[in-house]
Amino acid sequence: MYAGSGAIGIAWDTWRAEHGGADAISRRQQARLAGLVEFARTASPFYRALYRDVPERVTDPRQLPRVGKRELMEHFDEWVTDPHLTLARLESDVLADMSRLGSLYRGQYLVVTTSGTSGEPAVLVHDRASWTVTGVVVRIRERRTLIRAAEWRAFLFHGLRGAALIAGGGHFAGVVMTETARRRSPVIARRVRVFSVLRPLPELVAELNAFQPTLLYGYPSAMLQLAGEQRTRGLRIHPVLAFSSGENLSVAGREEIESALGCRVSERYLSSEFPALTSLCRKGSFHVNADWYLVEPVDADFQPVPAGVTSQTVLVTNLANRVQPLIRYDLGDRVTFAADPCPCRSPFPVLRVEGRAGDVVSFSAPGGRRVTVLPLALGTVIEETAGVRRFQAIRTGPGSLTVRLELRPGAAQADVRSAVRERLDEFFADQGAGPVAIEYSDELPGPGRSGKFRQVWTA
């Protein structure tokens, strides 16, 4: 059912699925799930043990047990289907070497790390088929809406210069995607760059003013921060189009960005594990690319919820990636399948997303000023500290932050806390904030009353 794993075969099959209607999509989904389960049983020791009591012929995904990030990472070497891939090798050969960003490991795998927005980072490996699906599917499904005619004309007149507003300093999916594109061509390398949101805001603004991007991609919280700078005339850029991803974007937030930056904002709902999960239609709805991904909204007991009902979490299967099978993986987002067909007449199901929210937090600065900090930037500083497995950071005042830590096995609490404090002190100083008192709570990170895990917020 792959119609060839190359770009042309995948593109042709993706086109045929769209025009074949719901039955064609369902047939592909069922066949790919059966093939993936059979392969995982054969090639992954983890799944072989997990599926020992599962019937040989799987006709319903509910016959399969669910999996979670922590469980998979604890069994990483047994989870992957290529025995040459081990967590220790990936950490030493790829993740510790920033010069490998965007390059293929062993000539065939892209390796990325998650930002840990659902509570715990992961190391993910995409094979050629998975990454080809990522590059092909959205282009085909959004061929009429991705870039509008007037925007194309503006790009032709002003040139295309892309700025990725994401957390740098790691093999995060957005960084890897950008660097992969830059490796393809010297022209792209000159016209597309990562602008790390970990940088102090004045430096970020100065770099963007010098680069003059016409295309923005990244966190909506970063774009909101830049919208404020644009209104005060510190930032002076004229983008043609902006793509927001990684966090929820409110209606008010979209209006603020579009008003201040003077461009249309288009949203993306995807993740490092499922990089082409949905496509946006001309009516503004997210459609699940169900020929390549299986999405199951479930309640707190992991039972299916009907269309029109918001889930507690969602189980997702990547039908394209076989080197690191993700089958009924708990993504952690609250979603709702639409009960009615989309007016755009697409055969793909419509998904509404509560997802991951990212509100900026602020701290006092010398001279009575206030410094705003992006949650993903603050979070990256903490979670990239050796020994940290999960964390939560709660702003308790303009000059105080409470941190909850869950440590990796063998990590010494005193050493990790000292390292986190040192990194945070340096981060806040770079941001121009005044002294921030760091306090540690003995309470472990955990979900709030809504059941949603939040990493950074204001109490």
Side-chain angles (χ1 to χ4, degrees):
M1 295 302 291
Y2 277 78
S5 59
I8 294 176
I10 289 174
W12 174 239
D13 190 78
T14 298
W15 178 279
R16 290 178 61 205
E18 179 179 343
H19 290 79
D23 288 343
I25 295 167
S26 178
R27 287 195 302 272
R28 283 166 169 78
Q29 188 180 83
Q30 292 175 9
R32 286 171 180 156
L33 177 63
L36 178 63
V37 169
E38 181 180 1
F39 181 80
R41 273 176 156 158
T42 302
S44 166
F46 171 81
Y47 278 105
R48 188 181 309 128
L50 186 67
Y51 290 170
R52 60 183 177 272
D53 296 325
V54 171
E56 182 175 347
R57 185 168 180 268
V58 174
T59 58
D60 187 329
R62 288 174 292 182
Q63 294 175 277
L64 303 169
R66 67 186 184 276
V67 296
K69 186 183 298 183
R70 177 181 295 189
E71 175 187 18
L72 293 173
M73 285 301 298
E74 288 175 348
H75 299 87
F76 186 94
D77 294 355
E78 297 78 36
W79 169 24
V80 293
T81 61
D82 184 337
H84 293 99
L85 299 175
T86 68
L87 185 58
R89 284 177 183 167
L90 292 179
E91 288 178 338
S92 63
D93 296 350
V94 181
L95 302 181
D97 186 356
M98 295 302 291
S99 71
R100 297 293 302 270
L101 275 172
S103 65
L104 291 174
Y105 181 61
R106 298 183 62 85
Q108 57 185 324
Y109 303 124
L110 273 177
V111 182
V112 305
T113 57
T114 68
S115 59
T117 53
S118 61
E120 184 174 4
V123 177
L124 302 167
V125 185
H126 289 274
D127 57 25
R128 285 186 180 273
S130 178
W131 210 253
T132 301
V133 166
T134 301
V136 167
V137 170
V138 174
R139 287 188 178 93
I140 290 178
R141 300 270 154 83
E142 298 190 18
R143 61 191 177 276
R144 297 187 183 93
T145 59
L146 188 66
I147 302 177
R148 297 173 181 173
E151 292 161 349
W152 276 119
R153 290 193 294 270
F155 284 134
L156 290 172
F157 184 78
H158 297 289
L160 177 60
R161 293 177 300 280
L165 303 169
I166 48 185
H171 288 253
F172 305 125
V175 178
V176 170
M177 179 181 68
T178 304
E179 294 302 327
T180 299
R182 285 166 54 87
R183 285 177 179 270
R184 292 184 189 140
S185 161
V187 175
I188 295 177
R190 289 194 301 270
R191 292 182 173 272
V192 178
R193 282 181 51 193
V194 171
F195 290 81
S196 176
V197 297
L198 300 181
R199 299 289 301 278
L201 185 58
E203 293 182 17
L204 178 61
V205 167
E207 290 180 356
L208 289 170
N209 282 337
F211 187 65
Q212 284 297 303
T214 53
L215 176 68
L216 302 177
Y217 173 87
Y219 310 140
S221 57
M223 294 183 194
L224 278 168
Q225 195 175 38
L226 293 178
E229 291 295 307
Q230 186 91 345
R231 288 200 182 280
T232 61
R233 304 297 297 166
L235 182 67
R236 297 177 298 278
I237 60 174
H238 307 282
V240 174
L241 178 62
F243 292 104
S244 79
S245 181
E247 304 163 339
N248 264 19
L249 177 61
S250 66
V251 173
R254 175 198 292 274
E255 292 174 349
E256 170 63 13
I257 295 169
E258 291 183 338
S259 172
L261 298 183
C263 68
R264 179 171 69 95
V265 177
S266 180
E267 288 184 80
R268 290 290 171 273
Y269 176 58
L270 44 79
S271 71
S272 304
E273 298 94 334
F274 311 104
L277 182 57
T278 66
S279 298
L280 194 68
C281 76
R282 65 179 185 274
K283 297 296 185 180
S285 296
F286 289 121
H287 290 263
V288 176
N289 292 311
D291 46 343
W292 294 107
Y293 300 96
L294 175 61
V295 173
E296 303 174 72
V298 294
D299 61 21
D301 297 318
F302 296 97
Q303 297 303 305
V305 299
V309 176
T310 300
S311 71
Q312 184 67 28
T313 186
V314 61
L315 306 179
V316 187
T317 301
N318 186 335
L319 298 169
N321 193 9
R322 293 199 169 189
V323 70
Q324 193 183 42
L326 289 166
I327 306 173
R328 305 199 80 210
Y329 173 87
D330 187 353
L331 187 59
D333 289 345
R334 294 166 61 90
V335 302
T336 309
F337 268 134
D340 300 317
C342 184
C344 78
R345 299 185 179 179
S346 168
F348 295 94
V350 172
L351 197 69
R352 291 192 293 270
V353 185
E354 179 177 313
R356 295 144 284 185
D359 299 324
V360 296
V361 289
S362 63
F363 295 90
S364 58
R369 297 182 299 107
R370 186 177 62 175
V371 170
T372 58
V373 174
L374 302 184
L376 284 167
L378 178 60
T380 299
V381 172
I382 301 174
E383 72 184 6
E384 290 295 299
T385 305
V388 174
R389 166 173 253 167
R390 294 199 306 170
F391 80 93
Q392 287 177 314
I394 305 100
R395 176 194 177 275
T396 53
S400 58
L401 184 74
T402 295
V403 178
R404 301 171 183 168
L405 295 176
E406 180 182 338
L407 306 185
R408 295 189 179 279
Q413 183 183 78
D415 292 342
V416 175
R417 286 185 173 185
S418 177
V420 168
R421 187 186 304 276
E422 183 177 338
R423 286 168 60 86
L424 284 174
D425 286 344
E426 182 179 356
F427 172 74
F428 284 122
D430 287 343
Q431 298 297 315
V436 176
I438 310 298
E439 298 179 356
Y440 289 100
S441 170
D442 291 332
E443 183 179 352
L444 289 174
R449 285 179 294 178
S450 66
K452 186 69 177 176
F453 188 98
R454 300 170 65 196
Q455 284 190 310
V456 180
W457 72 93
T458 298

